[in-house]
Amino acid sequence: MSTGGKGGARRAGAGQGENDTNGRDRPLVVGIREAILSGEFVPKQRLVEADLSERFAASRASVRAALLELTNEGLIERVRNRGARVRAVPLEEAIEISEVRMVIEGLCAAKAAERITEEDIKELKAIGESMRSAVSSGDVLGYSQLNQRLHRRIRMISGQHTASNVLERLRAQNVRHQFKLAMYPGRTTVSLPEHLAVIDAICAHDAEAAEQAARAHLRSVIQTLPEVDQDRSHGYRGTT
Amino acid sequence: MSTGGKGGARRAGAGQGENDTNGRDRPLVVGIREAILSGEFVPKQRLVEADLSERFAASRASVRAALLELTNEGLIERVRNRGARVRAVPLEEAIEISEVRMVIEGLCAAKAAERITEEDIKELKAIGESMRSAVSSGDVLGYSQLNQRLHRRIRMISGQHTASNVLERLRAQNVRHQFKLAMYPGRTTVSLPEHLAVIDAICAHDAEAAEQAARAHLRSVIQTLPEVDQDRSHGYRGTT
DNA sequence: AGCAACAAAATTGGCGACAATATCGGTGCG
DNA sequence: CGCACCGATATTGTCGCCAATTTTGTTGCT
């Protein structure tokens, strides 16, 4: 974990290690991002620079820089001279994002199937077993965490830095929908066999099957998204 | 297209002339980006804020903001307290980028095949014919422009806003490799039938065939990339 | 009473200056 | 003669201030 200053390393976005947010970022970016992802800042909420400046004990210029960065990450939305607000991802766009995720996760799964080692096979299968037991015991939260770990592990095994970066960004934009999806009753029962199929295909070094399984899983997600959607995501008048 | 969007209406006037990668950007971002994409700023070249400030007659803060934005677009690379420089995309990463492009362009092609109208069919076929004649007459530059127009048109027809954004960003990062690829002798002869296959599949409303054709085309690109690569792209010691 | 224009407040955008940090050159010592 | 320490320089990071623009509240007119 020693994220020390390895100067000569390639940029390639985040290293293969944990990129939960982005370790190289200043605390401001991380802080605001965490606030958005944790739900403290709700969609369409205005983000006034002065307020954030006070909230994080930093200057307004730093806040502005952080806001600009988060804008490019797709988490907040800025209009010239009209300020920044948390981006509300409507269902239609959440589906689009998931469709892009579908093909990229398929790519990663295929590449992972080609590159996976015996050691990683053990870990993937272990994750699969944990997921199975989590579903059995009804541990939805644990299953959700295992889900994220599985996807991240597959990305790592695939060795596709570019794909990982894109996926991470897309996932952050959809975190709210993903959360609602995870809480959808009976979702784990549908999700589990799909995940196991992905794991099996990757561990069997079957790239084609892995890609198809990953895409099938995301297709299932896309299909379920409209059911869990609550239309407050794209509400124009959020003043209640 | 823009379903009830509030802000997207004004963008409708985007003439086919300029490729405003992002019309909402301030001139600084556009200027620096153009300088990088046009090759004026070569990879690994240092971008000193003060110099850019003078070059574009703007304050350093604005330059910094633009640099931050371009960093997130993947065009430049920044190290804390050590400045920014034009990102040099090594062959390995160019391949990764093209692999991601492969699956996303496949997705767009499939979606375009489902959504295309008779009007768009005519235009796609017209582009195909133009490409054919461009290859016949050996007009490499014209073919390259038609190539970009075709891809852009397909993205537009697909209606995939997210995918288009990702593709545009990835394409910008690979613009140098793409250029060398376009100039590779005999490349057009290989590329043309692949493009025509994509066009035919899309116009035939065959989503599956369109995706496969698009992926085959990008696979061909990936296969050719190493041949056109000149190792100056990833030169570590660029101090001349 | 409704609407429009105006004014005041709020907020963002831009700018210059100062401090922190890395790089580079020089100098002294082993 | 080479290496390490040290200072000078260059560059970036941060901060506070002022102008431009938008939004909102008020007032006067129809």
Side-chain angles (χ1 to χ4, degrees):
Chain A
M1 303 280 194
S2 64
T3 60
K6 29 198 312 185
R10 288 151 180 72
R11 91 244 57 83
Q16 298 180 359
E18 73 295 347
N19 54 353
D20 34 298
T21 49
N22 243 337
R24 64 190 172 86
D25 288 333
R26 274 105 43 227
L28 255 176
V29 182
V30 179
I32 300 179
R33 181 168 16 193
E34 290 290 333
I36 295 178
L37 264 54
S38 71
E40 182 179 354
F41 295 160
V42 299
K44 283 295 178 184
Q45 174 178 340
R46 280 195 69 182
L47 298 179
V48 180
E49 296 179 359
D51 296 349
L52 295 175
S53 175
E54 178 133 355
R55 164 78 149 74
F56 292 96
S59 87
R60 241 192 64 207
S62 307
V63 172
R64 167 181 296 267
L67 253 48
L68 203 57
E69 193 155 336
L70 293 175
T71 300
N72 287 313
E73 286 184 24
L75 264 66
I76 68 179
E77 198 175 16
R78 295 188 66 187
V79 187
R80 175 159 183 115
N81 287 329
R82 288 188 54 179
R85 51 185 64 201
V86 180
R87 198 164 91 90
V89 178
L91 172 64
E92 178 183 315
E93 195 170 354
I95 291 177
E96 273 195 8
I97 291 173
S98 297
E99 282 171 335
V100 177
R101 276 191 58 200
M102 175 178 71
V103 293
I104 305 182
E105 300 244 21
L107 171 69
C108 286
K111 291 286 176 184
E114 295 174 357
R115 295 169 37 109
I116 193 168
T117 65
E118 293 301 322
E119 192 178 16
D120 288 326
I121 287 180
K122 280 190 209 158
E123 176 164 0
L124 279 199
K125 285 193 182 291
I127 294 179
E129 283 310 310
S130 299
M131 293 179 101
R132 207 191 296 263
S133 63
V135 170
S136 296
S137 61
D139 182 8
V140 179
L141 189 62
Y143 182 78
S144 175
Q145 290 176 348
L146 285 168
N147 178 15
Q148 289 186 28
R149 211 171 92 192
L150 173 64
H151 283 264
R152 183 160 39 194
R153 199 92 195 109
I154 292 175
R155 291 201 314 253
M156 213 154 78
I157 297 172
S158 75
Q160 299 274 332
H161 305 110
T162 301
S164 293
N165 282 343
V166 175
L167 281 179
E168 194 56 42
R169 174 176 316 192
L170 295 179
R171 193 192 62 81
Q173 294 183 24
N174 256 9
V175 63
R176 195 162 286 262
H177 291 275
Q178 284 284 350
F179 183 75
K180 288 188 286 188
L181 185 67
M183 293 308 175
Y184 194 60
R187 175 63 197 160
T188 54
T189 311
V190 180
S191 173
L192 177 63
E194 296 169 357
H195 279 141
L196 294 180
V198 174
I199 294 176
D200 286 342
I202 292 178
C203 293
H205 299 281
D206 189 342
E208 180 65 26
E211 176 166 10
Q212 291 307 320
R215 291 178 67 146
H217 170 53
L218 262 297
R219 203 171 296 126
S220 160
V221 169
I222 293 170
Q223 195 174 358
T224 315
L225 270 180
E227 305 177 18
V228 304
D229 180 64
Q230 301 158 5
D231 61 332
R232 58 176 174 172
S233 296
H234 50 278
Y236 300 101
R237 302 292 183 183
T239 56
T240 50
Chain B
M1 31 181 137
S2 61
T3 58
K6 47 165 189 172
R10 185 162 48 131
R11 187 175 38 194
Q16 62 225 15
E18 286 305 319
N19 60 339
D20 55 341
T21 48
N22 251 335
R24 61 189 168 87
D25 290 333
R26 273 100 47 222
L28 255 176
V29 182
V30 179
I32 300 178
R33 182 170 16 197
E34 290 291 331
I36 294 177
L37 265 53
S38 71
E40 182 179 354
F41 295 160
V42 299
K44 283 296 180 184
Q45 174 178 341
R46 279 195 67 184
L47 297 180
V48 180
E49 295 179 357
D51 296 349
L52 294 175
S53 176
E54 178 132 359
R55 165 77 149 75
F56 291 97
S59 87
R60 238 192 70 209
S62 307
V63 172
R64 166 181 295 269
L67 253 49
L68 204 59
E69 192 156 337
L70 293 174
T71 300
N72 286 314
E73 286 184 24
L75 265 64
I76 69 179
E77 187 180 21
R78 293 188 65 189
V79 186
R80 172 149 185 129
N81 287 328
R82 289 186 55 177
R85 51 184 64 201
V86 180
R87 199 163 93 89
V89 178
L91 172 63
E92 178 183 315
E93 195 169 352
I95 291 176
E96 273 195 7
I97 291 173
S98 297
E99 284 172 333
V100 178
R101 275 192 58 200
M102 175 179 70
V103 293
I104 305 182
E105 300 245 21
L107 171 69
C108 286
K111 291 288 175 180
E114 295 174 356
R115 297 169 35 109
I116 193 169
T117 64
E118 293 300 322
E119 192 178 16
D120 288 325
I121 287 180
K122 280 190 209 158
E123 176 166 359
L124 278 199
K125 287 194 181 289
I127 294 179
E129 283 309 309
S130 300
M131 294 179 101
R132 207 191 296 261
S133 64
V135 170
S136 297
S137 60
D139 182 8
V140 179
L141 189 62
Y143 182 78
S144 175
Q145 290 176 347
L146 285 169
N147 178 14
Q148 290 186 26
R149 212 171 91 192
L150 173 63
H151 284 264
R152 183 162 38 194
R153 200 86 197 115
I154 292 175
R155 292 200 314 253
M156 210 180 306
I157 295 172
S158 76
Q160 297 278 333
H161 193 266
T162 302
S164 292
N165 281 345
V166 175
L167 280 178
E168 194 57 41
R169 174 176 314 192
L170 295 179
R171 193 192 62 82
Q173 295 182 23
N174 257 8
V175 62
R176 197 163 286 261
H177 291 275
Q178 285 283 350
F179 183 74
K180 288 189 286 188
L181 184 67
M183 294 308 175
Y184 193 60
R187 175 62 198 161
T188 53
T189 311
V190 180
S191 173
L192 178 63
E194 297 168 358
H195 279 140
L196 294 180
V198 174
I199 294 176
D200 286 342
I202 292 178
C203 293
H205 299 280
D206 189 340
E208 180 65 27
E211 174 166 11
Q212 290 307 320
R215 291 179 68 146
H217 170 53
L218 263 296
R219 205 172 294 127
S220 159
V221 169
I222 293 170
Q223 194 175 359
T224 315
L225 270 180
E227 305 178 17
V228 303
D229 180 64
Q230 300 160 8
D231 61 331
R232 60 178 170 173
S233 294
H234 50 278
Y236 300 101
R237 302 292 183 183
T239 55
T240 50

